[in-house]
Amino acid sequence: MTGIVETHVDEIYVSASEIEKWFPIDLELNFNELRLYMTTTEDLPFQALATRRASWKRKAARASASKPEDYSDAIILPYKTYAAPAIQLQQGINSTLSDTTDNHVATTSVQTQGDLFGMFSRFNLGYSQGGESDGFQNSYFNLSRRDPRSNLAGPLKATELEIGDITANALPLVNGLQRGRGIRIGNTPYNFVRDPDQFVIEGFGPEGWDVEVYQDEQLLSFQTIELGGRYFFEGLQLREGFNLFRIVLYGPNGEKEVRFERYYLGRNMVEKGKFIYDISALQSSTPLLNFENAPETDPTLSLYGEYGLGKNVSVNAGYYTSPLNGGTLNALGSGIRFGTGSAFYQFSTLYDASGGYSLGLNTTANLSTNIILSGGHEMHESYDENLRPVVADSFINFSQRFSEGFLKFGSYGLGARRRETFNGNTVYSFTNTISASLFDISATNKLEYEMQDTLSDDRFFGNLTLRRRTPIGMFRGRLNYSLDEGYMLDSTDLLFQTYIDELTSINLLLNSSFGDNQENTISAALTRRFDKFQLSTNASYSDTGEIQLGLLLSMNFIPQSLSGDYYMTGNNSE
């Protein structure tokens, strides 16, 4: 048995191929990561146990979706008047060379986060010299405080408070979110979903990191964190009951951070006799530090309250004024939500000072554990054309999740939508979405067929998102294509990330656009982490003749105490 089983003093070594004969597992050794990946060919006892416990946990979550979370035994760290913030400093030089112009830009950005004035502070500011926009830009400053025990703002019994650059929540049927400088306060539970049609997930992370969002192992979307250090995902579908989103952040040198967002959607979200509120006020849709002299707009004010009438019924009302599509919406809203069995319903109204009004009804129902049906209808009457270009909107969606054998996860969905605009144009769209996790490949393909009265030709298009972790690195891609006249690629984004060693990584990116505006751009970035700093060099070439070269130096200052005692590091995941 030489080469299969070897003994060395007090140790025994067994080859992977021999272990695979003994147990129902497949083993794969990744030398780059020094990790051994194990895949079972049948359910082992501990996996069956984990499956049962996970099923119990899901059932318990659905059963308690209406109950407030108990934080009586939670250990909540107090906010400090001042705590030395963590600081990330980036300095870069970028050059663009083409047949017509040479452009050189130097940039500096700083991000900080830490306790300030008894709240948690986030700050971002950039400075650019050269090119079209010199001076300070990408400013962001936010102070926030959360208390799940509802002890904020004295008699207001708030659970969250934000000051500075904020995102104001809108009433149902408003169909729009506003950002700017202002204040937001409310006593809504952390996982409360007020309007499923305007559900978003946003957060913060280091610039240049990749972000992916998953639901039940389905890759929904991904993006790269740009200047400002903020990611924002919208258009994510919620199902009735418990919703768990997994947000994964990837750094340039193999850093990985996993976050979870939990939300409940359905009946009993406001228990009987309880009142919840949310208030947002923005002075303008410009940032708190308006270095770029962005034009100011009319203020935004959102007042919302909801009261639990009974076990399965709650009513809501509110006031909302804000700029919208070049005009100003000044409206009162009201609604009722209730649940029966595994279904959730919400009826909403909105009345504008101009005489316009809106009515809406939407529902989400779990036909079984894995089958979800949702639908809704909105109508908007007597508005100005610019204020409300859409006068009617109806939709229905069906989705099912499944897991069979070698298919770790799968789901498919069907949807239909009808929109009627102010000028009489009617748009019909039909969508089909298929997601699967197979052989360590996560893939989502969405097809959409669209018909319009004003267009003689129908549109048939789709996009495919792929993610694959291989022994030599990570592959991620997105393909947008059309099926109007045969098959044609519209654009592709292909990213490959690999590691030379634990401190050095290489990113390769190919962007291609086809059709009337054909262009191919290949980019490469080499990143090396040192003890005190991180250095990245990047270059790109477009077949239009444009060349871009860049150098980025990143330094992180991490406090070791509340008063400071900083140490400098090149690892921005600390």
Side-chain angles (χ1 to χ4, degrees):
M1 298 180 66
T2 303
I4 297 177
V5 179
E6 297 180 1
T7 60
H8 296 270
V9 188
D10 58 349
E11 295 180 333
I12 300 176
Y13 295 88
V14 183
S15 67
S17 59
E18 186 66 18
I19 292 180
E20 289 174 346
K21 296 178 182 178
W22 298 351
F23 304 100
I25 58 176
D26 292 328
L27 299 175
E28 180 182 353
L29 179 61
N30 187 320
F31 289 96
N32 290 338
E33 300 178 355
L34 293 180
R35 291 182 180 179
L36 182 66
Y37 291 92
M38 181 181 72
T39 305
T40 60
T41 58
E42 63 182 56
D43 282 346
L44 299 180
F46 76 91
Q47 291 177 301
L49 174 62
T51 300
R52 289 196 303 273
R53 296 294 169 84
S55 176
W56 297 350
K57 189 175 182 179
R58 287 194 299 269
K59 292 180 184 300
R62 286 194 294 269
S64 62
S66 62
K67 301 177 182 178
E69 295 188 56
D70 184 10
Y71 293 95
S72 58
D73 297 329
I75 300 175
I76 302 175
L77 296 178
Y79 290 89
K80 303 295 182 181
T81 303
Y82 172 78
I87 304 172
Q88 182 187 61
L89 179 65
Q90 293 185 329
Q91 295 176 300
I93 300 175
N94 295 277
S95 297
T96 302
L97 310 175
S98 66
D99 296 335
T100 58
T101 183
D102 292 345
N103 189 24
H104 309 281
V105 180
T107 59
T108 301
S109 70
V110 59
Q111 288 187 27
T112 70
Q113 58 180 22
D115 285 2
L116 181 65
F117 305 133
M119 306 177 76
F120 183 71
S121 69
R122 292 186 178 93
F123 173 73
N124 185 91
L125 183 63
Y127 182 82
S128 176
Q129 186 173 10
E132 298 179 356
S133 55
D134 287 352
F136 291 102
Q137 53 192 334
N138 301 311
S139 66
Y140 179 88
F141 180 71
N142 175 273
L143 292 172
S144 64
R145 181 162 182 158
R146 287 175 171 79
D147 186 344
R149 295 171 177 168
S150 303
N151 290 326
L152 295 180
L156 294 180
K157 298 292 183 180
T159 58
E160 55 184 339
L161 172 65
E162 282 188 276
I163 302 173
D165 291 304
I166 68 168
T167 299
N169 285 326
L171 301 185
L173 300 177
V174 168
N175 302 333
L177 295 174
Q178 291 289 340
R179 289 180 176 178
R181 53 193 180 208
I183 183 172
R184 177 172 174 261
I185 187 171
N187 70 338
T188 57
Y190 170 73
N191 54 21
F192 178 77
V193 178
R194 186 173 64 194
D195 186 3
D197 292 336
Q198 300 188 63
F199 175 70
V200 299
I201 289 179
E202 59 181 329
F204 300 85
E207 295 176 7
W209 282 37
D210 292 332
V211 187
E212 299 176 341
V213 57
Y214 293 83
Q215 185 181 34
D216 295 327
E217 298 306 315
Q218 175 185 353
L219 177 60
L220 301 180
S221 184
F222 64 85
Q223 59 187 238
T224 299
I225 301 177
E226 299 181 349
L227 294 176
R230 197 173 193 177
Y231 59 83
F232 187 86
F233 295 99
E234 56 184 339
L236 304 178
Q237 184 177 357
L238 292 167
R239 62 173 179 267
E240 191 272 337
F242 180 67
N243 291 264
L244 177 64
F245 293 93
R246 180 164 59 95
I247 296 95
V248 186
L249 290 83
Y250 295 96
N253 275 305
E255 303 96 336
K256 181 179 179 180
E257 180 181 345
V258 180
R259 305 173 181 176
F260 293 93
E261 299 281 359
R262 299 168 176 84
Y263 297 94
Y264 290 100
L265 174 65
R267 62 189 188 281
N268 299 336
M269 289 191 62
V270 180
E271 60 181 314
K272 182 180 180 180
K274 184 174 181 179
F275 175 75
I276 64 171
Y277 68 91
D278 190 300
I279 301 172
S280 303
L282 303 184
Q283 178 193 354
S284 171
S285 58
T286 55
L288 179 67
L289 305 174
N290 188 15
F291 293 111
E292 299 177 81
N293 295 319
E296 296 188 2
T297 61
D298 291 339
T300 295
L301 176 63
S302 175
L303 307 174
Y304 177 86
E306 184 164 350
Y307 180 77
L309 286 179
K311 183 178 179 180
N312 295 314
V313 181
S314 64
V315 292
N316 61 76
Y319 170 75
Y320 187 84
T321 179
S322 176
L324 180 67
N325 299 328
T328 299
L329 185 69
N330 187 13
L332 294 172
S334 62
I336 182 171
R337 60 169 64 189
F338 57 93
T340 57
S342 61
F344 157 77
Y345 308 90
Q346 179 167 316
F347 175 72
S348 303
T349 68
L350 193 72
Y351 294 90
D352 185 61
S354 66
Y357 66 93
S358 304
L359 302 176
L361 175 65
N362 63 65
T363 180
T364 300
N366 284 29
L367 302 183
S368 70
T369 304
N370 295 317
I371 300 178
I372 304 169
L373 180 67
S374 63
H377 175 71
E378 292 182 10
M379 57 171 290
H380 310 283
E381 293 286 347
S382 304
Y383 288 97
D384 179 82
E385 177 181 2
N386 295 323
L387 197 62
R388 285 290 192 186
V390 175
V391 298
D393 189 356
S394 304
F395 71 93
I396 185 171
N397 294 307
F398 170 88
S399 64
Q400 181 175 8
R401 297 171 292 156
F402 55 87
S403 177
E404 295 291 341
F406 60 87
L407 190 63
K408 296 181 180 179
F409 168 82
S411 70
Y412 70 88
L414 301 172
R417 191 160 206 150
R418 177 187 181 275
R419 287 188 177 183
E420 183 180 347
T421 62
F422 193 92
N423 59 11
N425 182 35
T426 303
V427 181
Y428 297 90
S429 60
F430 305 91
T431 58
N432 168 246
T433 304
I434 300 177
S435 297
S437 179
L438 177 66
F439 303 126
D440 295 325
I441 300 176
S442 297
T444 299
N445 186 72
K446 182 178 181 180
L447 281 172
E448 184 167 354
Y449 184 76
E450 184 179 280
M451 300 178 295
Q452 293 192 42
D453 293 341
T454 57
L455 296 179
S456 57
D457 296 326
D458 300 338
R459 298 181 61 213
F460 193 15
F461 55 94
N463 60 75
L464 173 66
T465 301
L466 297 168
R467 179 182 177 275
R468 172 75 159 95
R469 180 177 289 278
T470 70
I472 61 173
M474 170 75 75
F475 170 82
R476 191 182 292 111
R478 179 157 42 202
L479 288 75
N480 299 305
Y481 56 89
S482 300
L483 299 174
D484 298 338
E485 298 178 0
Y487 174 80
M488 183 182 71
L489 282 175
D490 293 329
S491 64
T492 61
D493 298 289
L494 305 176
L495 172 67
F496 179 71
Q497 183 184 67
T498 189
Y499 311 100
I500 298 177
D501 55 44
E502 62 179 5
L503 299 176
T504 310
S505 69
I506 296 178
N507 286 344
L508 299 175
L509 176 64
L510 175 63
N511 304 102
S512 298
S513 56
F514 306 94
D516 296 334
N517 300 310
Q518 294 189 14
E519 182 178 357
N520 297 291
T521 302
I522 185 169
S523 307
L526 175 65
T527 302
R528 172 74 178 181
R529 190 175 74 227
F530 299 89
D531 289 340
K532 301 295 185 181
F533 60 91
Q534 182 173 279
L535 186 65
S536 299
T537 59
N538 60 81
S540 68
Y541 173 76
S542 170
D543 55 14
T544 61
E546 183 176 276
I547 299 175
Q548 292 187 350
L549 303 172
L551 184 68
L552 181 65
L553 178 66
S554 301
M555 296 162 285
N556 299 278
F557 301 90
I558 310 299
Q560 300 182 74
S561 69
L562 294 178
S563 59
D565 299 326
Y566 284 94
Y567 73 92
M568 184 176 169
T569 176
N571 187 356
N572 56 8
S573 64
E574 295 185 5

